[in-house]
Amino acid sequence: MFSNKGYGWKLGAALALIAVLGVYAARKGESINPPLWRCVVEPRRWDNTVLWLPYARVVSVHDAEFEVEATDAKIRVTGKSPVPVGGRLTLRGIFRADGPRIELIASRPLPPDLGRRRLLMEVVSVLVVLIVIANFIRHFAFRPKVLQVEGVD
Amino acid sequence: MADLLVHAASAYVAARPLRDHRLRSIVYVGVCLPDLLYKGLLYFGGAPNYLCEPTHSPLGLLPFCYALSLFFEEAWRKRAFGAMLGGAYLHLLFDLGKNYVGSGVILWAFPFSMEAVELGWYASEDSVTLMLPALAVIALVELCTDRLRRRWPLSRPG
């Protein structure tokens, strides 16, 4: 399995399997958690679909519902808002074609400094990747001079 | 790729006791691999989200690690595959604890099921508060390993 015999075929098969799995996942996942704008444009098609909005801003709050603005569309949400107007949250709910609206299942407020937190995490993560790759190269890079010196000994 | 420092710290704990520094370096690559593949496909490949999901599933990672292991010299491939997969699974284990308000994060049985699971222990954005503890863990492991090696040095033949 790991030998040089049929190397090209093995590598080709692995890459083909990766491609097939990716396409399969994309097709199967198309109907799972669709983007909000698609649901708003075709409400009947996505009626009763469970939606997850990773990021939304509360635009208005009423007694038993509130309105949120996600990155791609606005929608009413049935339920109690965990944050005041202008606050940010992530939520999961069932999309209903009448309205259209989202019936809230669960939500979590997002911190106001989310952007700064994400930026910090991304910068640190990039640094970690660079260090990990540098460490890997240090151990695996082909260094003829080192080999020559070791050969003398 | 939001919290790779925490993932790297987990790999450091798991791999630092390994004597072979080359094997260790592969585990560190492995623990970054799921996010590198995901973000690579998403941002550089312009792929839709779900196309990238196999990079965060136990079975979906197998062909990725196998293909990458084939780029090592023959004698190293099996070990490289194991180390890379071990690191990648450690990544999934830590991601499993994230909270996406119940929508799930790991397709645990992909390609047989598209069901995503999560434990909901911490929010993704809270990873920033885990950075300093992660650095402390790395320092502690380094200190302990150093002391242990001084007490029981590696015996060399001849």
Side-chain angles (χ1 to χ4, degrees):
Chain A
M1 192 175 171
F2 293 98
S3 68
N4 278 333
K5 197 177 168 191
Y7 181 87
W9 286 107
K10 288 173 188 170
L11 185 60
L15 293 176
L17 184 60
I18 287 168
V20 167
L21 285 177
V23 171
Y24 176 76
R27 289 207 171 175
K28 291 280 279 185
E30 200 182 23
S31 57
I32 303 170
N33 199 28
L36 180 61
W37 68 267
R38 287 180 73 179
C39 301
V40 173
V41 169
E42 294 177 292
R44 288 280 156 228
R45 182 182 170 196
W46 301 104
D47 194 19
N48 299 325
T49 304
V50 176
L51 278 186
W52 170 50
L53 302 185
Y55 174 91
R57 194 169 61 86
V58 176
V59 180
S60 64
V61 177
H62 307 285
D63 288 343
E65 61 174 38
F66 57 102
E67 194 180 17
V68 295
E69 184 179 41
T71 48
D72 48 2
K74 268 186 190 178
I75 193 160
R76 275 192 307 121
V77 182
T78 317
K80 200 166 164 51
S81 171
V83 291
V85 175
R88 296 156 187 182
L89 77 164
T90 174
L91 67 88
R92 198 164 67 95
I94 302 165
F95 179 80
R96 303 287 189 203
D98 58 326
R101 62 192 171 91
I102 291 176
E103 212 172 278
L104 190 66
I105 297 174
S107 66
R108 191 183 72 234
L110 293 173
D113 59 342
L114 182 70
R116 273 190 307 166
R117 284 186 189 209
R118 286 237 163 262
L119 181 67
L120 176 66
M121 288 192 289
E122 296 292 345
V123 169
V124 170
S125 295
V126 169
L127 284 175
V128 168
V129 169
L130 291 176
I131 292 168
V132 164
I133 290 173
N135 181 53
F136 178 79
I137 289 172
R138 191 166 67 94
H139 294 308
F140 279 95
F142 178 60
R143 288 172 293 173
K145 279 186 183 172
V146 175
L147 287 179
Q148 282 165 16
V149 173
E150 282 176 354
V152 172
D153 290 334
Chain B
M1 204 197 283
D3 51 355
L4 275 184
L5 185 61
V6 178
H7 287 300
S10 71
Y12 206 77
V13 174
R16 193 66 183 91
L18 294 173
R19 294 279 188 184
D20 191 334
H21 50 77
R22 294 209 289 176
L23 203 58
R24 275 204 307 262
S25 72
I26 301 173
V27 177
Y28 300 149
V29 171
V31 86
C32 299
L33 198 63
D35 278 356
L36 284 178
L37 292 170
Y38 193 100
K39 305 283 176 179
L41 286 168
L42 194 69
Y43 296 129
F44 299 113
N49 267 313
Y50 262 96
L51 193 139
C52 314
E53 287 298 336
T55 63
H56 278 69
S57 69
L59 288 177
L61 274 166
L62 287 172
F64 282 106
C65 290
Y66 178 68
L68 286 171
S69 74
L70 288 178
F71 291 101
F72 285 80
E73 57 191 282
E74 194 176 1
W76 258 90
R77 280 177 203 155
K78 203 181 277 185
R79 271 179 291 175
F81 174 73
M84 220 180 306
L85 197 64
Y89 280 0
L90 197 60
H91 182 112
L92 297 193
L93 208 63
F94 269 70
D95 271 3
L96 190 65
K98 283 186 180 173
N99 182 336
Y100 287 110
V101 286
S103 65
V105 57
I106 305 290
L107 297 178
W108 69 279
F110 176 82
F112 305 109
S113 162
M114 293 300 281
E115 187 194 351
V117 290
E118 67 174 49
L119 295 174
W121 289 342
Y122 67 98
S124 174
E125 63 272 11
D126 288 343
S127 296
V128 76
T129 57
L130 298 173
M131 280 180 179
L132 283 179
L135 283 174
V137 165
I138 290 173
L140 191 70
V141 169
E142 187 58 38
L143 200 72
C144 290
T145 316
D146 191 48
R147 288 203 171 178
L148 284 173
R149 293 229 166 117
R150 274 186 201 171
R151 189 169 290 181
W152 294 293
L154 182 68
S155 57
R156 294 182 187 280

